[in-house]
Amino acid sequence: MSARRIRFIDPFQPAQIRRLVRQFGSPLLILDCERVRVQVRKLRAALQRVDLHYALKPMPHAAVVQTVLAEGGCLDLATSGEVQLARRLGVDPARCIHTHPIKRPQDIRNALDFGVRTFVADNPDEVRKFERFTDRAELLLRVSFRSPGAVCDLSRKFGCDPEDVLALARLAAELGITVRGLSFHVGSQAGDSAKHVEAIHACAALMAAGRRRKLGMLDTLDIGGGFPIDYTQPVQDIGRFCEPLRAALADLPKRVRVIAEPGRFIVGPAAIAVASVMGRARREGHWWYYLDDGLYGSYSGQLYDHARYPVEPLKDASERLPSVLAGPTCDSIDVIAENLMLPKLEAGDLIVGRAMGAYTWASASEFNFFPKATVIAVNLTPGDAGMAMPFPL
Ligand SMILES: *Cc1c(COP(=O)(O)O)cnc(C)c1O
């Protein structure tokens, strides 16, 4: 037995939330690294033998990156800024892939200089950009499978049509560029795994066709992200979501390495947003509460990510009145939620938004000079919970 006493802090408990606001002010985004660990383990259990590359985009924060790496995970980088963050944290580049289908020459050079080897391309122009780096870079070809059912369909903007994949692989071969395999991203917050399954089957057929034509493509299949989490609407449990997906992957040839690029699933449930009431007014029979965080801040995901977060005041009361929660800016669209039944609130009362780790703080702005929420990462090291510190990027 270690002499060290293991303390656990659940930073989502009311007393802890109040303590953190007293210490660090408001608004906060409280990030629980222990919950990040739980999410990594859950996804790993549901997708055994799939390498998990955390996509930084939903929450490009050092604490998340370090937690994922300490759990044995890898990274999916997409921009020079993300490469820079990984470099600054001393990440082993062998654990990173670069997946933006469209890159400036400088972006490619930045990633190569860091030591990344695997890149993604989805069209002839982009493949040609690697002609000068045949000794240092390898490609995954991103295939597009339209996904109108997903909340965010990512296959419209990126990916080549399945029928164009072999021609693209042939072009790469002619230029001496190694193609390692295929990748896809069916869209974020997928309702079920049917699209993933369809895409895996289609990629398996393309990979077999590539092998017959001696075009390589058979080392890696990257199944992207899209793994869903609960917001105001519950979704399928991740084990059930991945069941059909596992069955589809079992049909691939044994030598194919499968990787995934989860973003939302890893970090979404691991953070809450805490805002304070700045002031209130009674308008047309409703109490309007003006918070120090809103649609231009942590709640930006309501616009960009089409998300609806469970939002509740920290204090409870039996009497509840029709209420509106509004953000701080002078813009009239800056309203978080209307037609809520809330206890009567006062200036300084705290409002908590849950499942707010993904696509929230990352897309927040400082419109009207209202600063972004301060990120407080808690439980940075497993088993040594008693630490909370601000993490400036
Ligand atoms: C955004 C993104 C992800 C993460 O998607 P989630 O739905 O958040 O899991 C993964 N890969 C790529 C290429 C992305 O653009």
Side-chain angles (χ1 to χ4, degrees), residues 153-174:
D153 180 5
L154 287 177
S155 286
R156 190 168 76 94
K157 185 165 169 181
F158 298 118
C160 74
D161 284 337
E163 51 271 31
D164 297 333
V165 170
L166 291 178
L168 206 54
R170 198 167 297 118
L171 171 66
E174 282 162 15

Side-chain angles (χ1 to χ4, degrees), residues 175-187:
L175 298 173
I177 302 165
T178 304
V179 174
R180 279 274 167 225
L182 301 179
S183 80
F184 61 80
H185 192 310
V186 297

Side-chain angles (χ1 to χ4, degrees), residues 24 38 181 281 304 309 359 365 384 387:
F24 298 105
V38 167
Y304 298 127
Y309 311 103
Y359 306 109
S365 74
D384 182 12
M387 186 156 57

Side-chain angles (χ1 to χ4, degrees), residues 235-268:
V235 295
Q236 259 179 7
D237 150 82
I238 194 66
R240 261 192 62 203
F241 182 92
C242 289
E243 226 173 79
L245 217 150
R246 275 202 308 273
L249 290 174
D251 290 343
L252 289 172
K254 286 285 164 291
R255 60 174 284 201
V256 178
R257 187 170 81 99
V258 182
I259 66 183
E261 306 167 348
R264 180 191 310 277
F265 187 83
I266 300 297
V267 76

Side-chain angles (χ1 to χ4, degrees), residues 55 57-58 76 99 142 154 185 188-189 225-227 261-264 359:
K57 174 177 72 202
D76 164 7
T99 63
R142 178 151 162 186
L154 287 177
H185 192 310
S188 210
Q189 187 72 1
F227 307 98
E261 306 167 348
R264 180 191 310 277
Y359 306 109

Side-chain angles (χ1 to χ4, degrees), residues 4 6 25 55 93 113 117 125 165 181-182 209 227 243 255 268 281 288 296 298 305 335 345 389:
R4 189 146 161 218
I6 294 175
D113 287 350
R117 223 184 138 73
D125 279 350
V165 170
L182 301 179
F227 307 98
E243 226 173 79
R255 60 174 284 201
W288 280 67
Y296 286 93
S298 303
D305 191 37
V335 172
L345 302 175
M389 51 188 288

Side-chain angles (χ1 to χ4, degrees), residues 20-304:
L20 290 169
V21 169
R22 272 197 304 277
Q23 196 175 350
F24 298 105
S26 169
L28 294 182
L29 194 90
I30 302 177
L31 173 68
D32 181 11
C33 297
E34 185 57 27
R35 283 181 168 87
V36 172
R37 279 177 212 110
V38 167
Q39 291 302 103
V40 172
R41 289 170 196 166
K42 272 191 191 165
L43 191 55
R44 181 166 288 145
L47 284 178
Q48 284 161 23
R49 289 191 296 282
V50 175
D51 291 336
L52 302 182
H53 286 253
Y54 169 61
L56 269 67
K57 174 177 72 202
M59 184 60 182
H61 196 280
V64 184
V65 170
Q66 285 171 322
T67 303
V68 168
L69 291 170
E71 282 295 302
C74 302
L75 301 182
D76 164 7
L77 309 173
T79 65
S80 287
E82 292 175 2
V83 167
Q84 207 178 339
L85 176 60
R87 183 196 281 272
R88 191 159 62 75
L89 296 175
V91 178
D92 176 1
R95 290 168 78 173
C96 302
I97 57 175
H98 191 292
T99 63
H100 201 306
I102 307 291
K103 300 159 289 297
R104 292 162 292 197
Q106 190 60 47
D107 298 320
I108 297 174
R109 258 178 267 126
N110 291 343
L112 284 171
D113 287 350
F114 171 50
V116 174
R117 223 184 138 73
T118 306
F119 292 82
V120 167
D122 70 356
N123 71 85
D125 279 350
E126 202 67 20
V127 167
R128 283 191 202 96
K129 289 180 187 170
F130 289 88
E131 202 176 348
R132 303 152 56 194
F133 305 116
T134 51
D135 55 332
R136 299 159 71 192
E138 301 168 341
L139 294 182
L140 302 176
L141 301 181
R142 178 151 162 186
V143 196
S144 154
F145 301 99
R146 294 303 302 277
S147 184
V151 177
C152 308
D153 180 5
L154 287 177
S155 286
R156 190 168 76 94
K157 185 165 169 181
F158 298 118
C160 74
D161 284 337
E163 51 271 31
D164 297 333
V165 170
L166 291 178
L168 206 54
R170 198 167 297 118
L171 171 66
E174 282 162 15
L175 298 173
I177 302 165
T178 304
V179 174
R180 279 274 167 225
L182 301 179
S183 80
F184 61 80
H185 192 310
V186 297
S188 210
Q189 187 72 1
D192 59 47
S193 48
K195 265 285 161 193
H196 285 89
V197 168
E198 195 185 314
I200 291 166
H201 287 316
C203 284
L206 286 168
M207 289 164 105
R211 185 181 48 176
R212 286 194 296 276
R213 292 168 178 78
K214 306 220 170 350
L215 290 170
M217 297 199 337
L218 209 60
D219 293 314
T220 307
L221 177 61
D222 178 348
I223 62 172
F227 307 98
I229 62 165
D230 291 346
Y231 288 104
T232 46
Q233 300 294 325
V235 295
Q236 259 179 7
D237 150 82
I238 194 66
R240 261 192 62 203
F241 182 92
C242 289
E243 226 173 79
L245 217 150
R246 275 202 308 273
L249 290 174
D251 290 343
L252 289 172
K254 286 285 164 291
R255 60 174 284 201
V256 178
R257 187 170 81 99
V258 182
I259 66 183
E261 306 167 348
R264 180 191 310 277
F265 187 83
I266 300 297
V267 76
I272 56 174
V274 185
S276 304
V277 175
M278 305 197 307
R280 66 182 184 192
R282 218 175 137 71
R283 305 188 196 285
E284 295 171 355
H286 291 246
W287 275 105
W288 280 67
Y289 298 108
Y290 299 84
L291 312 182
D292 55 7
D293 200 353
L295 244 57
Y296 286 93
S298 303
Y299 289 84
S300 55
Q302 289 193 183
L303 282 176
Y304 298 127

